[in-house]
Amino acid sequence: MRYWGYFIGKLAGAAVGMYALWLAMQALLPEPVEFMRVKMGGFTQDLTWTLAYLLYWLLACGVLAFVVWDQRRRCRICLRRLRMPIHTGNWGLALLFAPPQTESICPFGHGTLASPETHTSTAQPESWERHGDMWEELEQMDQRPR
Ligand SMILES: [Zn+2]
């Protein structure tokens, strides 16, 4: 729940920022020109506004892509960025036995994200593996007979 709440919060923050930029654009750019007593529309009829719309659209797509990219690389529990990416698998056995993937881990040990690097027929989904309590596991290792 916290993970998706953070994602919605980031989307809302990005939307507020883009709306503020939209208002600034409306205030700062000159009005579309008047041609033969007809006020031209901004989009596709005025070069300044058309370029402004294009750049605004590109920026909005970039902000949305960044928000999604950043969210996918966060821990599902504590929301910190995942660290220590390692490459596993083997490109020689990529199709069946050991597909190459990148595994990143939460710095506090909450889980591991495995991102496949080969997509044979369709895009392979990322998989999140939640870890147990690592202190409990260490205590169990310490209690083993030696
Ligand atoms: Zn974590």
Side-chain angles (χ1 to χ4, degrees), residues 74-80 82 105-111 128:
R74 289 195 176 267
C75 174
R76 286 5 180 208
I77 309 297
C78 67
L79 300 175
R80 287 184 177 84
L82 300 173
I105 192 168
C106 170
F108 289 90
H110 294 128
W128 172 257

Side-chain angles (χ1 to χ4, degrees), residues 11-141:
L11 282 177
V16 167
M18 290 307 294
Y19 185 67
L21 180 64
W22 176 259
L23 292 179
M25 218 169 78
Q26 297 283 334
L28 297 177
L29 287 178
E31 288 288 319
V33 294
E34 201 169 296
F35 181 71
M36 296 183 71
R37 297 183 189 165
V38 175
K39 188 174 181 180
M40 306 298 279
F43 188 61
T44 69
Q45 294 176 342
D46 185 73
L47 182 61
T48 305
W49 276 97
T50 304
L51 283 175
Y53 280 120
L54 171 70
L55 294 176
Y56 184 82
W57 172 252
L58 287 176
L59 183 66
C61 289
V63 167
L64 180 64
F66 175 76
V67 166
V68 171
W69 175 84
D70 181 65
Q71 188 71 17
R72 291 173 73 181
R73 276 141 188 86
R74 289 195 176 267
C75 174
R76 286 5 180 208
I77 309 297
C78 67
L79 300 175
R80 287 184 177 84
R81 285 224 174 136
L82 300 173
R83 307 254 187 247
M84 296 180 277
I86 59 167
H87 300 282
T88 60
N90 188 342
W91 282 99
L93 304 171
L95 288 180
L96 292 177
F97 302 112
Q101 59 185 2
T102 302
E103 293 182 357
S104 302
I105 192 168
C106 170
F108 289 90
H110 294 128
T112 302
L113 178 72
S115 307
E117 295 191 15
T118 57
H119 304 281
T120 50
S121 61
T122 61
Q124 303 297 315
E126 295 176 334
S127 65
W128 172 257
E129 180 186 346
R130 187 177 182 155
H131 294 173
D133 185 11
M134 67 180 190
W135 296 112
E136 194 174 293
E137 187 177 333
L138 283 173
E139 286 175 6
Q140 288 176 355
M141 289 175 69

